[in-house]
Amino acid sequence: DPEWASYKLGIFICLNCSGIHRNLPEISRVKSLRLDFWESNLIEFMRNRGNLWAKAKYEAKVPPYYYIPKSHDCMVLRQQWIRAKYERGEFLDIQVCQDPCSAGSREGFLWKLGKGRRQFQKRQFLLSAREGVMKYYRQESKSPKAVISVETLNAMFQVDKIGHSHGLQITYITDGQTRNLFVYHESGKEIVDWFNAIRAARYHYLRTAFPNVPEAEIIPRITRNFVKEGYMEKTGPKQNEAFKLRWFCLDSQERNLTYFKNPLDAFAQGQVFIGRRDEGYEVRDDLPQKVWVKKKRPVITLVTPVREFVFICENDRKQREWMDALNGVITQ
């Protein structure tokens, strides 16, 4: 039920996107459906256009790896999607669809969070779908600081966590551990282009590695966001150690609950694999018999075949959210 429209493009839009359109007067002009006066010629124009017409024209050739943002996605993703469609005409029928192998090749500078989380430093990044790797270099260094396999590469926007409107979190596996890189670029277009280049490289890898898997199953696995993130307190394996505050990330695709001392840590302190209910995995809202806390607080016990993990949540709402998220993984 959109309550706004662009009378220059002939489309109906939501409140969130109306603000973006309003800042692009050269390509879009916005009116409220309820509060503004609509001249008869504009009503006729809207009748002859509409969202299906605009989609057929402006989204004629969206590559399968290109991320189409949802209403809850961050501003830079939505803004650059609107600009790519209507301002730059990147997906018009006259455009030639880019091969994912060439689209997944990119080179340039990104600001990367340095060791100790003290400051961001300019680093050169190189992505090659053909070679199946992403590398980054220190300034004026000829040998890469890291060579990352596209096989385990993932990227997600983390605006609040990184503290920058263009903040991107890149994860990969090295020596059996998940490694986090936190990067940004001053240009919104540049960081979204990097994100979609990573998606193109991942798409190329998945299509090559799993040629018989339908595309509908490939696309959700190109990149992924965490199902839930946030602080909880946890105790150790003996369950008599003091509870310590940790930052948790739940990855439903990999079925992992990973925890960090700080949200911007490069490496996790540990992770818990979450299997299925018929394999002995369960989530409870009470404490194991031998565990005791000083005062009544919202708790979660994650039961696995190996041990029981005990967490304390900030409040009842957070407890319900975490239990729903964990149960979602167990039952999928």
Side-chain angles (χ1 to χ4, degrees):
D1 298 314
E3 295 191 357
W4 295 80
S6 168
Y7 61 90
K8 198 168 182 178
L9 292 169
I11 56 171
F12 297 88
I13 52 182
C14 68
L15 175 63
N16 287 340
C17 289
S18 70
I20 300 172
H21 280 263
R22 193 178 286 110
N23 290 326
L24 304 171
E26 305 83 11
I27 61 167
S28 187
R29 295 288 174 88
V30 175
K31 275 181 181 281
S32 166
L33 299 185
R34 299 177 184 277
L35 304 176
D36 290 323
F37 175 75
W38 284 79
E39 296 83 353
S40 56
N41 64 316
L42 289 183
I43 294 173
E44 189 62 26
F45 178 77
M46 296 298 296
R47 183 179 285 123
N48 293 330
R49 298 295 193 276
N51 290 29
L52 292 179
W53 173 88
K55 189 177 179 70
K57 177 181 178 179
Y58 293 104
E59 298 180 33
K61 288 194 173 178
V62 181
Y65 54 80
Y66 198 99
Y67 183 77
I68 299 176
K70 316 287 190 301
S71 60
H72 61 265
D73 279 312
C74 62
M75 174 67 81
V76 69
L77 270 173
R78 290 184 288 116
Q79 184 184 63
Q80 290 305 314
W81 167 243
I82 289 168
R83 284 185 175 274
K85 276 203 296 184
Y86 304 120
E87 187 177 53
R88 300 192 292 270
E90 291 182 14
F91 315 120
L92 294 172
D93 195 37
I94 57 172
Q95 302 291 352
V96 178
C97 267
Q98 217 174 351
D99 168 55
C101 197
S102 61
S105 298
R106 192 169 185 83
E107 187 173 0
F109 288 95
L110 294 171
W111 289 91
K112 174 191 165 292
L113 186 63
K115 209 170 184 180
R117 309 184 309 277
R118 288 180 188 151
Q119 60 183 3
F120 284 86
Q121 299 154 333
K122 203 172 187 180
R123 295 288 181 257
Q124 184 181 14
F125 281 78
L126 189 149
L127 174 67
S128 172
R130 194 174 303 281
E131 296 177 30
V133 296
M134 185 177 191
K135 307 174 185 176
Y136 75 90
Y137 300 78
R138 287 177 175 164
Q139 282 183 304
E140 300 176 1
S141 174
K142 293 185 178 179
S143 58
K145 177 72 172 148
V147 179
I148 303 161
S149 170
V150 168
E151 181 182 357
T152 66
L153 185 62
N154 186 44
M156 67 188 88
F157 276 90
Q158 292 278 23
V159 171
D160 295 331
K161 185 197 283 190
I162 296 174
H164 194 285
S165 58
H166 303 161
L168 189 70
Q169 179 174 346
I170 296 170
T171 66
Y172 61 97
I173 305 296
T174 176
D175 297 327
Q177 282 186 293
T178 300
R179 170 79 157 95
N180 293 323
L181 301 178
F182 301 98
V183 301
Y184 74 87
H185 196 282
E186 294 91 341
S187 162
K189 180 182 183 302
E190 188 72 15
I191 199 68
V192 172
D193 285 349
W194 267 105
F195 176 61
N196 281 303
I198 290 171
R199 285 180 59 85
R202 282 278 302 158
Y203 177 78
H204 174 74
Y205 160 74
L206 290 168
R207 294 302 287 160
T208 306
F210 308 102
N212 298 320
V213 175
E215 189 161 278
E217 293 180 30
I218 291 282
I219 289 172
R221 292 184 169 271
I222 298 176
T223 58
R224 62 194 183 276
N225 293 332
F226 294 131
V227 175
K228 184 163 177 59
E229 285 187 281
Y231 283 110
M232 288 192 290
E233 295 176 42
K234 76 174 288 290
T235 186
K238 294 180 181 177
Q239 297 183 345
N240 57 7
E241 300 95 334
F243 280 84
K244 294 180 181 178
L245 194 65
R246 295 291 180 259
W247 179 267
F248 287 83
C249 304
L250 180 58
D251 184 338
S252 65
Q253 191 168 297
E254 294 297 315
R255 307 187 75 105
N256 279 332
L257 179 66
T258 313
Y259 55 93
F260 303 80
K261 194 172 182 180
N262 296 289
L264 297 177
D265 283 351
F267 290 99
Q269 289 203 319
Q271 66 180 30
V272 184
F273 176 77
I274 302 172
R276 300 192 311 272
R277 195 175 301 282
D278 59 13
E279 296 172 328
Y281 290 83
E282 182 189 357
V283 182
R284 299 201 308 257
D285 61 356
D286 56 10
L287 291 167
Q289 287 185 346
K290 296 179 182 178
V291 181
W292 176 82
V293 293
K294 287 184 179 179
K295 59 181 180 179
K296 185 173 174 58
R297 298 176 68 189
V299 299
I300 293 175
T301 298
L302 174 60
V303 180
T304 77
V306 179
R307 59 174 271 204
E308 295 179 338
F309 294 85
V310 182
F311 312 119
I312 296 177
C313 300
E314 185 182 344
N315 52 49
D316 292 339
R317 180 177 62 84
K318 294 284 177 70
Q319 180 199 41
R320 286 194 302 272
E321 290 173 357
W322 273 109
M323 289 190 68
D324 289 345
L326 289 164
N327 272 317
V329 178
I330 289 171
T331 56
Q332 74 183 13

